[in-house]
Amino acid sequence: MSLSNMFCSRCGDGFEPHEKIVNSNGELWHTQCFVCAQCFRTFPDGTFYEFEGRKYCEHDFHVLFAPCCGKCGEFVIGRVIKAMNANWHPQCFRCESCNKELAELGFVRHQGQALCHDCRASARASGANKHTCHKCHGLIDDRPLRFRGEVYHPYHFNCSSCGVELNSDAREVKSRPGYTANDLNELYCLRCHDKMGIPICGACRRPIEERVVTALGKHWHVEHFVCAKCEKPFLGHRHYEKKGLAYCETHYHQLFGNLCFICNQVIAGDVFTALNKAWCVHHFACSVCDQKMTQKTKFYELDLKPVCKKCYEKFPSEFKRRLRKAHEYTPKKSPVS
Amino acid sequence: MDAAPVSCLPTNPNRMSKAKKVIDEAKEIQNPELDLSDKGVSTFEEIPGLFNMVNITRLTLSHNKIRHIPPGLANLVNLEILNLFNNHIEEIPTSLSSMPKLRILNIGMNRLGSLPRGFGAFPVLEVLDLTYNNLYEDSLPGNFFMLETLRALYLGDNDFETISPEIGKLKNLQILVLRENDLIELPKEIGELSRLRELHIQANRLTLLPPELGNLDLTGNKAVLRMDFNPWVAPIDDQLQLGVSHVMDYLRSETYKFLYNRSVTSRGSPPPKLNDKSKKISRLRQQS
């Protein structure tokens, strides 16, 4: 190869005899032409980086083309890990839980985090009750906001009435009563919600959006209006009130004793109460002759059972004398009863 | 009813027509409750056809002069209430105890000196009234306290001096009347009758009560404790002057438990019988 047909790859001019010529991979340059395509300075230590036919000094090549590590922010030279929408040094891409290098192990994406297989398995087991926001997909550390069947960070929403940023106390309300579709619901802050006049259940303190039971001066979810004794919901069946509590038929009578002395059944209609006992209309009768009595019938008492006048008069006189004697001695009442 | 046996005994035709009239009426209107109170009936033969009326649920025969109960009465399998108050009955047949639906049995004011063996076999008896008879502890058959369905037991005006500890087995008992017997003591098992809300023990010879009685709630507004006319020891009598709730509180105290244990071990002869029972009509037969 003669000097006359050698030309500089940059400026295209020939070379003077004895002039220093740079040869790189068969291409020739004047020494002053063998410079960084970006800063036009010679390459420190002769090291250059080539990209799309141009040569750059290390600094400019990094600035222009090298990826930055998603963890340490430095340029990534050499092997680049592309994962989780970012670039990483292999030694910087580690499990976010146990810090193991993931380059060789492989990783799994779990709720926006890169985890090794082991950590992902345990995270799934322990974090099962933590919610992921349906909007930003981040973990919800505090109480989530439930809305239209999904869970969210409350701060993604504002009150439909006053516009304030919501917290987890916010209430989901059907914007059009009678519609059941989830997508008609709207969110209100607790203050605005309370002003809307939605009945609150006396048992669970939550708003009642389905059927409302009104009893004992309060509102109740149908399923929360229950017998104070057995805690079964009345579900529309008859209930009995006593001292601010509601009872089912069975327990009301069991507790408050309105079982008929004769038939031992719950007394549905009118109740005759006397002598520490109760009777249904059909069974309030003289205990001796079984003749029916009314509220007005006068009767005598024998061992706390009613005896009509006719039967009392048929008692032997010695018995009547004893009864009279016992009756005249009126036992002292204790002060508490 | 034509097939019913006709009595050939000479009976007062007036009385017979009285009972028969009621029977005929009841048959006509299909009334399952038969009222034969104070009809002068002295034998069941005066009520022809009664045992064929299997549909009746209540039979009231109080204030009559019946001496003998035929075992055939138990044929009335639907009977729930049988009232024989104030008759002259000295014995009752064992067959009654097998009546499948009998819930209320009133044999008060009769002349019973004993109950038949196996009496306690009633399957569903709830109320048993034996007031004003001549019963005492040995009158009761061995299975008497098997009457687990019993909720009221009336034994007032009888001759009991003691009550069997087996009384504790009557778990459903709500009412117990022992008025005017000759009771010297009560068994501590009374304290096991957790549903008891009426206890009548007045006019007996009781001096002490078992401290276990304090387990019961006999002072609530739905409860009654009658205990006057007993020769109580002075501390109980003092509390009784203040009211039965004071007695119940006292029974629960350690002071009383100490007193009771000491008194039980060094008990003298029981107080004398005070009730004069010679004029009781349940005694008439013995006198005559």
Side-chain angles (χ1 to χ4, degrees), chain A residues 254 256-264 273 275-278 282-283 286-292 301-305 310-312 314-316 318-319 321-323 325-326 329-337, chain B residues 33 35 37-38 58 60 62-63 81 83 85-86 103-104 106 109 126-127 129 131-132 151-152 154 156-157 175 177 179-180 197-198 200 219 221-224 226 228-229 241-246 276 279-281:
Chain A
Q254 199 179 82
F256 305 109
N258 278 337
L259 291 176
C260 171
F261 177 65
I262 301 299
C263 57
N264 206 26
T273 315
L275 308 177
N276 198 38
K277 296 175 181 65
H282 182 71
H283 285 129
C286 167
S287 65
V288 171
C289 66
D290 293 328
Q291 285 299 307
K292 270 194 202 173
E301 175 251 311
L302 171 60
D303 297 332
L304 288 180
K305 292 208 284 186
K310 257 171 100 176
C311 286
Y312 180 82
K314 289 196 185 90
F315 283 172
E318 67 86 25
F319 190 47
R321 204 177 312 123
R322 281 191 283 139
L323 290 177
K325 186 185 143 205
Y329 178 90
T330 36
K332 287 165 194 73
K333 289 270 174 200
S334 83
V336 286
S337 59
Chain B
E33 305 198 331
D35 277 310
S37 185
D38 197 19
R58 174 164 69 79
T60 304
S62 49
H63 303 306
I81 301 175
N83 190 341
F85 193 89
N86 192 14
R103 295 188 300 106
I104 299 182
N106 190 343
M109 203 166 279
E126 294 174 17
V127 179
D129 195 331
T131 307
Y132 203 110
R151 54 184 167 88
Y154 293 87
D157 257 310
I175 298 171
V177 180
R179 171 189 53 80
E180 292 188 85
R197 56 180 176 83
E198 258 188 50
H200 305 235
T219 50
N221 62 342
K222 278 276 174 187
V224 174
R226 289 184 171 177
D228 296 303
F229 306 114
Q241 299 299 314
L242 299 169
V244 288
S245 66
H246 291 258
D276 175 19
K279 295 200 170 67
K280 275 176 74 177
I281 57 165

Side-chain angles (χ1 to χ4, degrees), chain A residues 215-277:
Chain A
L216 301 165
K218 289 180 187 158
H219 302 290
W220 312 85
H221 284 113
V222 176
E223 65 274 21
H224 289 162
F225 185 49
V226 300
C227 167
K229 175 79 179 162
C230 67
E231 299 188 334
K232 282 192 191 126
F234 299 114
L235 302 173
H237 291 289
R238 190 189 248 247
H239 73 274
Y240 296 79
E241 295 179 7
K242 182 101 173 178
K243 290 186 178 164
L245 295 172
Y247 298 87
C248 67
E249 187 164 300
T250 311
H251 286 113
Y252 177 80
H253 291 289
Q254 199 179 82
L255 290 167
F256 305 109
N258 278 337
L259 291 176
C260 171
F261 177 65
I262 301 299
C263 57
N264 206 26
Q265 301 291 308
V266 169
I267 303 168
D270 287 338
V271 181
F272 289 94
T273 315
L275 308 177
N276 198 38
K277 296 175 181 65

